Amino acid sequence: MAKEITPRAENYSQWYLDLVNKAELAENSAVRGCMVIKPYGYAIWEKMQAQLDRMFKETGHVNAYFPLFIPKSFFSREAAHVEGFAKECAVVTHYRLRNDPDGKGVVVDPEAKLEEELIIRPTSETIIWNTYRNWIHSHRDLPILINQWANVVRWEMRTRLFLRTAEFLWQEGHTAHATKEEAIEETLKIVNLYADFAENFMGIPVIKGIKSENERFAGAEDTYCIEGLMQDGKALQCGTSHFLGQNFAKAFDVMFSNRDGMLEHVWATSWGVSTRLMGALVMAHSDDNGLVLPPNLAPIQVVIVPIYKNQEEFNRISARVAEIIPRLKARGITVKFDDNDNRKPGWKFAEYELKGVPVRLAMGPRDLENDTVEVARRDTLTKQSLPAENIDEVVESLLKEIQENIFKKAKAFRDENIRKADTWDEFKTLLEEKGGFISAHWDGTTETEIKIKEETKATIRCIPFDEKSGTGVCIYSGKPSQRRVLFAIAY
RNA sequence: CGGGGUGUGGCGCAGUUGGUAGCGCGCGUCGUUCGGGACGACGAGGCCGCUGGUUCGAGUCCAGUCACCCCGACCA
C-alpha cells in the first residue's frame, strides 16, 4: 500500500524507475547523471562481481588497477578512439581551490592550472597501453591478461539509473598477445564467458554476435557482444568484447621481439560489462509486484517470516526457526529470519516480494501444530505448506528450480520475440506492432544501416554467430545480402 | 543545445479573487492487533528553490536566477 509500483502495461519506464527506487537499488544523487547505489543494489552488484571475478581468474586473468586520470595527449594518439569518446569526456583543468576573495565559499584557483589537462577515464585503453609499452619487450612477456574493476565517466546528455549514468562501475579487461589469432581467440573466449554468465548466473538469455562497423567500439577492429531482450521488446547490449588489432600498440608504440628476433606490434583485446547489467536484471525478470531475482544473485535467498500473536508464541516459533536456519546455511543458502516486531507479516510478505527474495518461509501457530512450513516462491507467486522435517533439502532444490525457471521464462519470451522480416513494410510493421528482434537481410553498408535507423530508430544489434540463413536481398536497398542480421530498438 | 514541465514537512501532493500553510503516507508514544502492506488516541516536524520588486500584507502577482524531471539530437 505504501509502496505502489506503476504497472508495466501502463508505463514501462516508470515501472522500471519505481522498481529501482522502491526495491532500494539506487537513487539519483545530488550530482546530475550520477547515482547512489544503495546497499541492496550494491549487494546484487557484488554478487555479479564475485562470480565474474571467479570466471576471469579461472581463465587465467589477474586484476590490477590503473589511474582514474588520463593525460589529454594520450587520447589523441588513436584517431578513431578519440573520435568516439571526445564528446563525452570530463576534464580536470585545475588542482586547487581557494577562498573566494569576493565573499563566501571557494573558487577554482586560477594560478593552479594544470600544465596538461587530465581526462577522467571513459575507458582505460590509452593509459593501459601507454603502460604496457614498458612491460612488453619480448614474446616471453606475452600474453598479458589483466582485468580491472573501476569506475568510469561518460558525460551523457540523458541518463537513467543503471542503464545510462554519467559515472558507472564496470570491469574492463585489457589483454596483450603475440599473435592476431591468439587475440581473436581471447576476444571470443570472453564473449562466450559473458554469455555463460548472463544465461547461467543472471538467467538472462543473450544472443552472441558481432557488431556492424557502425556500432563497433571506437578503436576496435571487431566488436563482439551479447544482446539481451527486455520485457518491453527493446534490446539491451549486456556486454562487449573487442578485438583491437594492433591499433593501440601502434598508437603507443608497443612492440615485442618475436621468436625470430623481429620486432612486431602487439595484438590487443579489451572487454567489459558494467552496472548496466543491474538494469538488465530488473527489466528481464521482474513483474508488477516488484523485483524477481534469480537465486544466484539474490542477497537474501530465503527469508523466514514468523507469524505470532504474543511473546510466548514468538518464542516457540523462534526456537523452531533456530533449528532450520543452520540446516539451510549448511547447504550454502543465504537466509534471513525477519524477527522485526514493528512490522506485520502481511507487510513483510509484500516487502520481500518487492525486493525479489526467491523463497519465503512463513511459520505460525498452525505450522507449529502440524510441524510444517509455508513455502512461497517469488517467481510463480505460489505457496504451499510442506513438512518442516526436510525443508532444507526442499528449499535447496527449489532454489535451483527457480533459477532454471526464471531463465526458461525469459528465454521463451525472447524466442517468441525474434521475427523474420523480408520486406521493408513488413519490417516497419513488425517493429511498430511487436518490437523485439527482427531478423532481416541487410546489404552490409553503413549508409543503409543509418537510413534504417533514421527512419525507424532500429539499429543492428548484431550479426549473430549462429546465423545460417544464407544469402538474400536487403530489406531496405534491395541489394544482395550475405546473411540476416538482428535489428531492434535498443536502450 | 532545442521543446515541455515541476520546485511547499522525510516522501507524494493541495493551497480559490493576495489575508500569516494544509492533506495522505511515513515518523514518535501508548493501547488493541498479527496466516497478504492493521486500527485508534495523542504528538513532533515547514527560511513555500533562491534573489529582487509590487503591496498595509506574497506560497499566491511581476522580473531575474538556480536546480531537477520528461520529450528530442549523442551513447555501455
PDB file of all heavy atoms in Angstrom, chain A residues 410-428:
ATOM      1  N   ALA A 410      12.330 -16.291 -19.403  1.00  0.00           N
ATOM      2  CA  ALA A 410      12.930 -15.194 -20.173  1.00  0.00           C
ATOM      3  C   ALA A 410      13.290 -15.668 -21.581  1.00  0.00           C
ATOM      4  O   ALA A 410      13.141 -14.937 -22.553  1.00  0.00           O
ATOM      5  CB  ALA A 410      14.165 -14.660 -19.452  1.00  0.00           C
ATOM      6  N   LYS A 411      13.728 -16.914 -21.675  1.00  0.00           N
ATOM      7  CA  LYS A 411      14.127 -17.436 -22.988  1.00  0.00           C
ATOM      8  C   LYS A 411      12.910 -17.629 -23.887  1.00  0.00           C
ATOM      9  O   LYS A 411      12.940 -17.308 -25.076  1.00  0.00           O
ATOM     10  CB  LYS A 411      14.875 -18.761 -22.837  1.00  0.00           C
ATOM     11  CG  LYS A 411      15.471 -19.243 -24.153  1.00  0.00           C
ATOM     12  CD  LYS A 411      16.518 -20.314 -23.932  1.00  0.00           C
ATOM     13  CE  LYS A 411      17.239 -20.655 -25.225  1.00  0.00           C
ATOM     14  NZ  LYS A 411      16.327 -21.145 -26.278  1.00  0.00           N
ATOM     15  N   ALA A 412      11.842 -18.123 -23.301  1.00  0.00           N
ATOM     16  CA  ALA A 412      10.615 -18.309 -24.082  1.00  0.00           C
ATOM     17  C   ALA A 412      10.149 -16.956 -24.627  1.00  0.00           C
ATOM     18  O   ALA A 412       9.781 -16.824 -25.793  1.00  0.00           O
ATOM     19  CB  ALA A 412       9.528 -18.941 -23.226  1.00  0.00           C
ATOM     20  N   PHE A 413      10.203 -15.942 -23.768  1.00  0.00           N
ATOM     21  CA  PHE A 413       9.801 -14.595 -24.197  1.00  0.00           C
ATOM     22  C   PHE A 413      10.718 -14.105 -25.310  1.00  0.00           C
ATOM     23  O   PHE A 413      10.268 -13.581 -26.322  1.00  0.00           O
ATOM     24  CB  PHE A 413       9.862 -13.633 -23.006  1.00  0.00           C
ATOM     25  CG  PHE A 413       9.586 -12.200 -23.384  1.00  0.00           C
ATOM     26  CD1 PHE A 413       8.278 -11.743 -23.518  1.00  0.00           C
ATOM     27  CD2 PHE A 413      10.634 -11.318 -23.631  1.00  0.00           C
ATOM     28  CE1 PHE A 413       8.018 -10.434 -23.888  1.00  0.00           C
ATOM     29  CE2 PHE A 413      10.379 -10.003 -24.000  1.00  0.00           C
ATOM     30  CZ  PHE A 413       9.064  -9.567 -24.132  1.00  0.00           C
ATOM     31  N   ARG A 414      12.002 -14.279 -25.119  1.00  0.00           N
ATOM     32  CA  ARG A 414      12.963 -13.803 -26.106  1.00  0.00           C
ATOM     33  C   ARG A 414      12.736 -14.519 -27.447  1.00  0.00           C
ATOM     34  O   ARG A 414      12.660 -13.888 -28.496  1.00  0.00           O
ATOM     35  CB  ARG A 414      14.377 -14.068 -25.587  1.00  0.00           C
ATOM     36  CG  ARG A 414      15.496 -13.286 -26.269  1.00  0.00           C
ATOM     37  CD  ARG A 414      15.999 -13.905 -27.544  1.00  0.00           C
ATOM     38  NE  ARG A 414      16.320 -15.326 -27.454  1.00  0.00           N
ATOM     39  CZ  ARG A 414      17.482 -15.818 -27.053  1.00  0.00           C
ATOM     40  NH1 ARG A 414      18.439 -15.024 -26.659  1.00  0.00           N
ATOM     41  NH2 ARG A 414      17.676 -17.122 -27.040  1.00  0.00           N
ATOM     42  N   ASP A 415      12.592 -15.849 -27.390  1.00  0.00           N
ATOM     43  CA  ASP A 415      12.424 -16.610 -28.630  1.00  0.00           C
ATOM     44  C   ASP A 415      11.148 -16.227 -29.383  1.00  0.00           C
ATOM     45  O   ASP A 415      11.134 -16.169 -30.600  1.00  0.00           O
ATOM     46  CB  ASP A 415      12.441 -18.111 -28.331  1.00  0.00           C
ATOM     47  CG  ASP A 415      13.831 -18.574 -27.905  1.00  0.00           C
ATOM     48  OD1 ASP A 415      14.804 -17.815 -28.119  1.00  0.00           O
ATOM     49  OD2 ASP A 415      13.951 -19.678 -27.341  1.00  0.00           O
ATOM     50  N   GLU A 416      10.101 -15.946 -28.620  1.00  0.00           N
ATOM     51  CA  GLU A 416       8.845 -15.513 -29.249  1.00  0.00           C
ATOM     52  C   GLU A 416       8.999 -14.159 -29.919  1.00  0.00           C
ATOM     53  O   GLU A 416       8.189 -13.780 -30.751  1.00  0.00           O
ATOM     54  CB  GLU A 416       7.750 -15.318 -28.181  1.00  0.00           C
ATOM     55  CG  GLU A 416       7.101 -16.572 -27.693  1.00  0.00           C
ATOM     56  CD  GLU A 416       6.326 -16.302 -26.401  1.00  0.00           C
ATOM     57  OE1 GLU A 416       5.947 -15.136 -26.156  1.00  0.00           O
ATOM     58  OE2 GLU A 416       6.123 -17.269 -25.641  1.00  0.00           O
ATOM     59  N   ASN A 417       9.995 -13.424 -29.488  1.00  0.00           N
ATOM     60  CA  ASN A 417      10.145 -12.060 -29.980  1.00  0.00           C
ATOM     61  C   ASN A 417      11.317 -11.867 -30.933  1.00  0.00           C
ATOM     62  O   ASN A 417      11.851 -10.774 -31.047  1.00  0.00           O
ATOM     63  CB  ASN A 417      10.221 -11.088 -28.805  1.00  0.00           C
ATOM     64  CG  ASN A 417       8.848 -10.852 -28.207  1.00  0.00           C
ATOM     65  OD1 ASN A 417       8.035 -10.137 -28.777  1.00  0.00           O
ATOM     66  ND2 ASN A 417       8.580 -11.502 -27.087  1.00  0.00           N
ATOM     67  N   ILE A 418      11.672 -12.951 -31.598  1.00  0.00           N
ATOM     68  CA  ILE A 418      12.592 -12.830 -32.728  1.00  0.00           C
ATOM     69  C   ILE A 418      11.764 -13.172 -33.958  1.00  0.00           C
ATOM     70  O   ILE A 418      11.218 -14.272 -34.057  1.00  0.00           O
ATOM     71  CB  ILE A 418      13.772 -13.815 -32.623  1.00  0.00           C
ATOM     72  CG1 ILE A 418      14.517 -13.597 -31.308  1.00  0.00           C
ATOM     73  CG2 ILE A 418      14.728 -13.620 -33.811  1.00  0.00           C
ATOM     74  CD1 ILE A 418      15.674 -14.555 -31.099  1.00  0.00           C
ATOM     75  N   ARG A 419      11.612 -12.201 -34.844  1.00  0.00           N
ATOM     76  CA  ARG A 419      10.754 -12.430 -36.013  1.00  0.00           C
ATOM     77  C   ARG A 419      11.496 -12.086 -37.290  1.00  0.00           C
ATOM     78  O   ARG A 419      12.344 -11.203 -37.295  1.00  0.00           O
ATOM     79  CB  ARG A 419       9.494 -11.565 -35.916  1.00  0.00           C
ATOM     80  CG  ARG A 419       8.678 -11.833 -34.675  1.00  0.00           C
ATOM     81  CD  ARG A 419       7.458 -10.951 -34.599  1.00  0.00           C
ATOM     82  NE  ARG A 419       6.699 -11.250 -33.390  1.00  0.00           N
ATOM     83  CZ  ARG A 419       6.938 -10.711 -32.199  1.00  0.00           C
ATOM     84  NH1 ARG A 419       7.905  -9.819 -32.068  1.00  0.00           N
ATOM     85  NH2 ARG A 419       6.228 -11.044 -31.152  1.00  0.00           N
ATOM     86  N   LYS A 420      11.129 -12.782 -38.334  1.00  0.00           N
ATOM     87  CA  LYS A 420      11.769 -12.512 -39.623  1.00  0.00           C
ATOM     88  C   LYS A 420      10.961 -11.487 -40.410  1.00  0.00           C
ATOM     89  O   LYS A 420       9.734 -11.539 -40.420  1.00  0.00           O
ATOM     90  CB  LYS A 420      11.864 -13.805 -40.456  1.00  0.00           C
ATOM     91  CG  LYS A 420      12.975 -14.708 -39.980  1.00  0.00           C
ATOM     92  CD  LYS A 420      13.137 -15.911 -40.885  1.00  0.00           C
ATOM     93  CE  LYS A 420      14.242 -16.814 -40.351  1.00  0.00           C
ATOM     94  NZ  LYS A 420      14.381 -18.032 -41.130  1.00  0.00           N
ATOM     95  N   ALA A 421      11.687 -10.584 -41.042  1.00  0.00           N
ATOM     96  CA  ALA A 421      11.023  -9.665 -41.961  1.00  0.00           C
ATOM     97  C   ALA A 421      11.719  -9.791 -43.308  1.00  0.00           C
ATOM     98  O   ALA A 421      12.945  -9.830 -43.377  1.00  0.00           O
ATOM     99  CB  ALA A 421      11.124  -8.239 -41.447  1.00  0.00           C
ATOM    100  N   ASP A 422      10.925  -9.849 -44.380  1.00  0.00           N
ATOM    101  CA  ASP A 422      11.514  -9.991 -45.711  1.00  0.00           C
ATOM    102  C   ASP A 422      11.266  -8.791 -46.608  1.00  0.00           C
ATOM    103  O   ASP A 422      11.828  -8.703 -47.693  1.00  0.00           O
ATOM    104  CB  ASP A 422      11.002 -11.274 -46.379  1.00  0.00           C
ATOM    105  CG  ASP A 422      11.556 -12.504 -45.678  1.00  0.00           C
ATOM    106  OD1 ASP A 422      12.775 -12.531 -45.408  1.00  0.00           O
ATOM    107  OD2 ASP A 422      10.777 -13.419 -45.347  1.00  0.00           O
ATOM    108  N   THR A 423      10.395  -7.897 -46.139  1.00  0.00           N
ATOM    109  CA  THR A 423      10.173  -6.667 -46.910  1.00  0.00           C
ATOM    110  C   THR A 423      10.275  -5.481 -45.960  1.00  0.00           C
ATOM    111  O   THR A 423      10.161  -5.630 -44.741  1.00  0.00           O
ATOM    112  CB  THR A 423       8.775  -6.636 -47.554  1.00  0.00           C
ATOM    113  OG1 THR A 423       7.793  -6.539 -46.507  1.00  0.00           O
ATOM    114  CG2 THR A 423       8.520  -7.879 -48.399  1.00  0.00           C
ATOM    115  N   TRP A 424      10.464  -4.316 -46.560  1.00  0.00           N
ATOM    116  CA  TRP A 424      10.593  -3.097 -45.762  1.00  0.00           C
ATOM    117  C   TRP A 424       9.305  -2.805 -44.998  1.00  0.00           C
ATOM    118  O   TRP A 424       9.341  -2.438 -43.824  1.00  0.00           O
ATOM    119  CB  TRP A 424      10.972  -1.930 -46.697  1.00  0.00           C
ATOM    120  CG  TRP A 424      11.172  -0.613 -46.020  1.00  0.00           C
ATOM    121  CD1 TRP A 424      10.573   0.564 -46.354  1.00  0.00           C
ATOM    122  CD2 TRP A 424      12.037  -0.325 -44.911  1.00  0.00           C
ATOM    123  NE1 TRP A 424      11.007   1.567 -45.520  1.00  0.00           N
ATOM    124  CE2 TRP A 424      11.908   1.044 -44.629  1.00  0.00           C
ATOM    125  CE3 TRP A 424      12.894  -1.111 -44.128  1.00  0.00           C
ATOM    126  CZ2 TRP A 424      12.605   1.678 -43.595  1.00  0.00           C
ATOM    127  CZ3 TRP A 424      13.593  -0.490 -43.084  1.00  0.00           C
ATOM    128  CH2 TRP A 424      13.448   0.883 -42.841  1.00  0.00           C
ATOM    129  N   ASP A 425       8.162  -3.002 -45.648  1.00  0.00           N
ATOM    130  CA  ASP A 425       6.877  -2.771 -44.979  1.00  0.00           C
ATOM    131  C   ASP A 425       6.695  -3.712 -43.796  1.00  0.00           C
ATOM    132  O   ASP A 425       6.269  -3.312 -42.719  1.00  0.00           O
ATOM    133  CB  ASP A 425       5.716  -2.976 -45.970  1.00  0.00           C
ATOM    134  CG  ASP A 425       5.540  -1.735 -46.840  1.00  0.00           C
ATOM    135  OD1 ASP A 425       6.076  -0.669 -46.449  1.00  0.00           O
ATOM    136  OD2 ASP A 425       4.884  -1.839 -47.890  1.00  0.00           O
ATOM    137  N   GLU A 426       7.046  -4.949 -44.056  1.00  0.00           N
ATOM    138  CA  GLU A 426       6.914  -5.964 -43.013  1.00  0.00           C
ATOM    139  C   GLU A 426       7.802  -5.586 -41.816  1.00  0.00           C
ATOM    140  O   GLU A 426       7.399  -5.676 -40.656  1.00  0.00           O
ATOM    141  CB  GLU A 426       7.359  -7.310 -43.589  1.00  0.00           C
ATOM    142  CG  GLU A 426       6.875  -8.509 -42.828  1.00  0.00           C
ATOM    143  CD  GLU A 426       7.381  -9.816 -43.453  1.00  0.00           C
ATOM    144  OE1 GLU A 426       7.867  -9.791 -44.607  1.00  0.00           O
ATOM    145  OE2 GLU A 426       7.302 -10.831 -42.774  1.00  0.00           O
ATOM    146  N   PHE A 427       8.995  -5.134 -42.149  1.00  0.00           N
ATOM    147  CA  PHE A 427       9.958  -4.714 -41.126  1.00  0.00           C
ATOM    148  C   PHE A 427       9.376  -3.606 -40.252  1.00  0.00           C
ATOM    149  O   PHE A 427       9.364  -3.690 -39.028  1.00  0.00           O
ATOM    150  CB  PHE A 427      11.232  -4.224 -41.826  1.00  0.00           C
ATOM    151  CG  PHE A 427      12.320  -3.792 -40.886  1.00  0.00           C
ATOM    152  CD1 PHE A 427      13.208  -4.714 -40.348  1.00  0.00           C
ATOM    153  CD2 PHE A 427      12.478  -2.449 -40.538  1.00  0.00           C
ATOM    154  CE1 PHE A 427      14.219  -4.310 -39.485  1.00  0.00           C
ATOM    155  CE2 PHE A 427      13.484  -2.046 -39.676  1.00  0.00           C
ATOM    156  CZ  PHE A 427      14.355  -2.974 -39.149  1.00  0.00           C
ATOM    157  N   LYS A 428       8.864  -2.572 -40.909  1.00  0.00           N
ATOM    158  CA  LYS A 428       8.331  -1.429 -40.153  1.00  0.00           C
ATOM    159  C   LYS A 428       7.114  -1.811 -39.324  1.00  0.00           C
ATOM    160  O   LYS A 428       6.975  -1.382 -38.184  1.00  0.00           O
ATOM    161  CB  LYS A 428       7.974  -0.292 -41.125  1.00  0.00           C
ATOM    162  CG  LYS A 428       9.204   0.425 -41.667  1.00  0.00           C
ATOM    163  CD  LYS A 428       8.843   1.693 -42.410  1.00  0.00           C
ATOM    164  CE  LYS A 428       8.156   1.373 -43.723  1.00  0.00           C
ATOM    165  NZ  LYS A 428       7.972   2.569 -44.572  1.00  0.00           N
TER     166      LYS A 428
END
